[in-house]
Amino acid sequence: MKEHPDAQYYIRGIELPETEVSTDLEPWGETRVVGKPLPRVDGYERVSGTAVYPADLTLPGMLYGAILRCPHPHAMVTAVDVRRAAAMPGVRAALTAFTPLDRATRPHADMIRTQLFDPHCRFQGEAVAAVAAETAYQARDALRAIQVQYEERPFLADERKALEPGAPQVRDSGNQAGETQVYQRGDVARGFAEADVVLDQEYRNECEIHTPMELHGCVARWDGDRLTLWESTQGVYNVQMQVAATLGMPFSLVRVVGHYMGGGFGSKLQTSKYSVVAALLAKTTARPVKLVLTREETLLAVGNRPASNMRLKAGVKRDGTITAMQFWGSGASGSEPAGGVSLLDWPVRDTYTCANVRTELTDLLINAGPARPFRAPGHPQGAWALEQMMDALAEAIGMDPVALRVRNVPTVSQARGNVPYTSTGLRQCLEQGAAAFGWDAVRAEIARQGNRGTVKRGVGVAAGLWVAGGGGPPSTAVVKIFADGSVNLNMGASDIGTGTKTVMAMVVAEELGVAPDAVEIEHADTGSTQFATGSGGSKTVPTESPAVRAAAVDVKRQLLELAAEELKVEVSTLTLRDGKVVSTQDPAVTRSLTELQGLRRRRSLTGVGYRGPNPANKAVTPFAAQFCEVEVDTASGEVRVVRFVAAHDSGRVMNQLTYQNQVFGGITMGIGFGLTEERVLDVDQTGKMANLNWHDYKLPTMLDVPADMTCVPIDPKDTECNATGAKGIGEPATIPTAAAIGNAIYHATGVRVTHTPVDPLRLVAALAERGEG
Amino acid sequence: MPRPRPTADPAVITLEVNGERCAVAFAPHKTLLEVLREDLDLTGTKHGCELGECGTCTVLLDDAPVLSCLVLGLACDGRRVRTVEGMAEGARLHPLQETFADLGAAQCGYCTPGFLLTAQALLDANPRPTRDEIKAALAGNLCRCTGYLKIYEAVELAAARLRGEDAEPARETLYGRR
């Protein structure tokens, strides 16, 4: 699928390594370690200050790099004079579009061949030049001494005007990225004719920016022809392959290390130009170079969830049958094709049973920083439209909003040609979530009380699913057991803070009968660990855990064969527990791992595991339903989120604690998307970003998030999706949140606010329009 | 080849860092954050925005939480600084560090040092804070991962342990409420 984050390799024609497939593993029954709320195996490093993030690294002789960025939304660079900058104390290199190193065009992350410093700057924040100096201050001072001649061009900052005649052109090919994509099943005209009620509504979401707490950055060092990058990334192999392709190097000579990183949410899934810049500065100076972006740069140049414009027309019969849905969506990729409408229509296509569906998606270009995948691309936006529409339909036919959703739970993936799901817990999410929330009781109570004051209470529900659940091949893992019974796991996956290492240690512990903290992990290093795709798409656990399990089972098989020989029993009667080989039939037959002669002679045993394919002709999909209560101050327009209940079917819960972390973090990010976060562009005057800092770009703080959040895991006991039964939780957790809040605001006030973020200004305006507040 | 690191004439100050007096020379325009990270190799203190907006770089200056990106190194002469590296006693973690790790209050871990020191200042002044008091004290620290709930729980559990209570995490903290 084009939208899948890892699809970038295919598109560029870079062969994805084929891996073998491990033998089918029996599904787990009862587990002894997996599922428990175990703290992170690297908790000590993360709380003690000893974890080394890329920006913490200092190498002998290291220089500091910095990038000069275009201050205009649209301009041609006609000349760059670095003579003054290059002569300043401590400055060791200056690169521009006019230095010989950057004459050639290269394939960059956007699949467009340009110079590294493209003289045609199509967004505020495009790289224009770079320097390396002895200190960070000298590098920043040198940037200010670079003289650039810009020829400003008319800019386009609002994608809603992109196709108007005479609109400034972002690229020569026009302001639309590709053709409008149309999806259709059934006949919507017939469906609307069959409906008792047809509603038609427009929705809009403003652009949201990832802003992980850690800045993007890396350290680059060359040893002869070999490049090492210590990178803040979600996928070391993503960076390796992209940097190698850009610099025309073999993969093997680019080593990328990414042990600790401070959050990415999609913005660190692909490679940024700064990594190539750091590599070139290091090459030019023959010194290591650290290049860490500023907060402003990360707000401008390393991705966003694009603004979305949506219209949804839907028909329903009195009995709750949804007869037709027609959806129009457009979004802003930014200055280059970057998935501006990626997956925007998926919730409409696949969340509910509906025979007649038509969607149209139009991806538009504007003079602003390109989009990147952001925690469930397209889905929170699509759910914002669909789930508010479901509420409106329910009201129109006098049905409870939960009941209407339950009535339309699908058992097959309609958008994939009606293939069945390996499991679907959407009904349980809705029903058990409603029970945990006290849905019926609280709605009855609010109705009884009448909501008369200026502060009004409301509750809302929204459901969701995530298209790319379940992960998939390729992935390789290696497990090694030493003669003393301790274990080493080698895998390429990054732990982006979600607890990947912890979950994988638990999988190894489960199979080998050792304690999770006896498992040492090597990970996220292209030089020394196995291949893994990037940690994104909620696919890390469902991709990696079956491969890790297969590797552990491979070691287990070897251990049990050795033990069977030494104990002179059938291998099928043996298993591993608490560091011992034990018989399942005779308690007297037991041998400690450290007493196995075969292991002592070999010193270690190594097992290899591969991620097998997902089941053919089945869809693997996580489902969710979230419920929230809000208080709306109709005088000030403020919304207080009082509590949340999140019921999720993400398959097996691998670790209760890290699972809850994803759910509560996802809800909080959804609160930001729904209520506070917005990239404000000065669309008319300058085209520049007007809230280029965390003071004006509002993340939810402790004051904005309820301390009352409840996680209701639904485990459908999925034995088909993969060998561990996990489907992925990171993204589903944020998909329904904003829509649930929107529905609760409507329940409280009777006013439907269709435009996020629902800040006090928008809400007061909507209330005033209705003559309230 | 000599590789000079030319700076302006360095400033030299004496300060107490994590219980030890030390003298440090640095370019006089540097912030406390930069002095800690670059001149004292204390990289546990993280750089989030350099604008005083995120709380990530919080350290204790004479026991009070400050944003080290907004404090000049020169202003710290003769003063006491505590960073995350000074919270543990040897390898024994401070109760706050322990509960942050055990309850999942640290995910990516990048905002964690700032939260820990802000929370320590709170608990030093108020051993039994309510959730509203925790909220008021920690609202200046941004976290993009956790959703803050586990941070409340970790501060509350650490507070109980610091009061000498034999506290264990609530079952619902570990397994969720049903």
Side-chain angles (χ1 to χ4, degrees), chain A residues 46-47 53 55-56 62 134 137-138 209-210 213 265 295 497 657 660-661 665 668 677 694 700 707-708 710, chain B residues 5-6 34 37 46 48 53-54 56 97 102 104 107-109 116 131 144-145 147-150 174 176-177:
Chain A
R46 291 187 194 271
V47 301
Y53 297 75
D56 300 334
M62 190 178 79
E134 297 287 343
Y137 277 105
Q138 287 171 336
I209 305 178
H210 308 72
M213 297 309 298
F265 311 106
R295 185 51 61 188
L657 208 57
Q660 286 183 47
N661 276 159
T668 300
E677 294 182 43
W694 264 331
D708 186 354
T710 303
Chain B
R5 291 183 171 260
E34 290 160 341
R37 286 180 56 82
K46 301 302 180 203
E53 290 159 352
C54 67
T56 301
Q97 292 175 301
D102 287 352
Q107 288 190 213
C108 81
L116 285 169
R131 280 221 164 163
R144 196 60 157 158
C145 295
Y148 305 106
L149 180 54
K150 296 286 169 193
L174 299 178
R177 255 183 331 136

Side-chain angles (χ1 to χ4, degrees), chain A residues 8 12 65-70 75 77 95-97 101-102 104-131 171 216-220 222 227 229 231-233 238-240 242-247 267-282 289-293 297-298 300-303 335-336 368-372:
Chain A
Q8 48 179 310
R12 294 210 182 81
I67 297 176
L68 182 69
R69 294 183 181 273
C70 178
V77 173
L95 300 178
T96 76
L101 203 57
D102 194 33
T105 65
R106 297 185 170 90
H108 290 291
D110 47 17
M111 292 164 276
I112 291 174
R113 284 189 75 94
T114 61
Q115 285 178 258
L116 184 57
F117 303 108
D118 186 353
H120 191 159
C121 295
R122 295 181 172 89
F123 67 96
Q124 178 196 11
E126 177 62 283
V128 173
V131 298
R171 307 196 81 90
H216 291 58
C218 66
V219 175
W222 291 83
L227 169 66
L229 281 170
E231 177 73 80
S232 172
T233 178
N238 291 11
V239 178
Q240 180 208 43
Q242 180 61 46
V243 169
T246 305
L247 297 178
S267 72
K268 295 175 183 171
L269 203 50
Q270 63 202 70
T271 309
S272 303
K273 272 188 185 177
Y274 72 78
S275 306
V276 177
V277 170
L280 291 179
L281 287 170
V289 170
K290 181 192 290 191
L291 203 167
V292 179
L293 302 193
E297 289 178 280
T298 69
L300 288 170
V302 288
S335 60
E336 64 195 30
R372 279 187 184 181

